[in-house]
Amino acid sequence: MGRYITTIGTAGVTNREISTTYSAVVNDRILANMASSAYTITLPAVSSVLVGDTIQILDIAGNAQSNNITIGRNSAKINGATENLTIDVSGAIVTLTYSGSTYGWIIGAV
């Protein structure tokens, strides 16, 4: 996942548990705790990403249906659209991979 490789050959993923608005960085695995409220996770600026960079978001509390996770696109497209993404399925796991300016962030797994 992402561009950084460790000395043992695995991707350098950073797990982050969050429960409020957050600005994602490349290689984040975001454990989104939606137990209390809905909030927004903003994707990295296009100037800081490379094709193939990824962000993964997991609804760890299983409450995304009632407390939606909004993915702020930060000027990049998501699946070719100029709209934010709303995750509203409880227990969802979403992987976004940057594909370049034409389609932007592509949803790889839901």
Side-chain angles (χ1 to χ4, degrees), residues 47-64:
S47 61
S48 68
V49 297
L50 300 172
V51 171
D53 283 348
T54 60
I55 305 286
Q56 187 174 53
I57 301 161
L58 298 85
D59 173 26
I60 62 170
N63 289 335

Side-chain angles (χ1 to χ4, degrees), residues 56-76:
Q56 187 174 53
I57 301 161
L58 298 85
D59 173 26
I60 62 170
N63 289 335
Q65 182 176 9
S66 57
N67 293 328
N68 298 167
I69 305 168
T70 300
I71 307 302
R73 62 187 191 87
N74 202 2
S75 299

Side-chain angles (χ1 to χ4, degrees), residues 38-101:
Y39 53 83
T40 299
I41 297 169
T42 303
L43 293 171
V46 172
S47 61
S48 68
V49 297
L50 300 172
V51 171
D53 283 348
T54 60
I55 305 286
Q56 187 174 53
I57 301 161
L58 298 85
D59 173 26
I60 62 170
N63 289 335
Q65 182 176 9
S66 57
N67 293 328
N68 298 167
I69 305 168
T70 300
I71 307 302
R73 62 187 191 87
N74 202 2
S75 299
K77 294 178 182 177
I78 299 177
N79 274 4
T82 55
E83 301 173 7
N84 290 335
L85 172 66
T86 300
I87 300 172
D88 59 1
V89 176
S90 294
I93 299 172
V94 176
T95 301
L96 297 161
T97 302
Y98 189 69
S99 69
S101 61

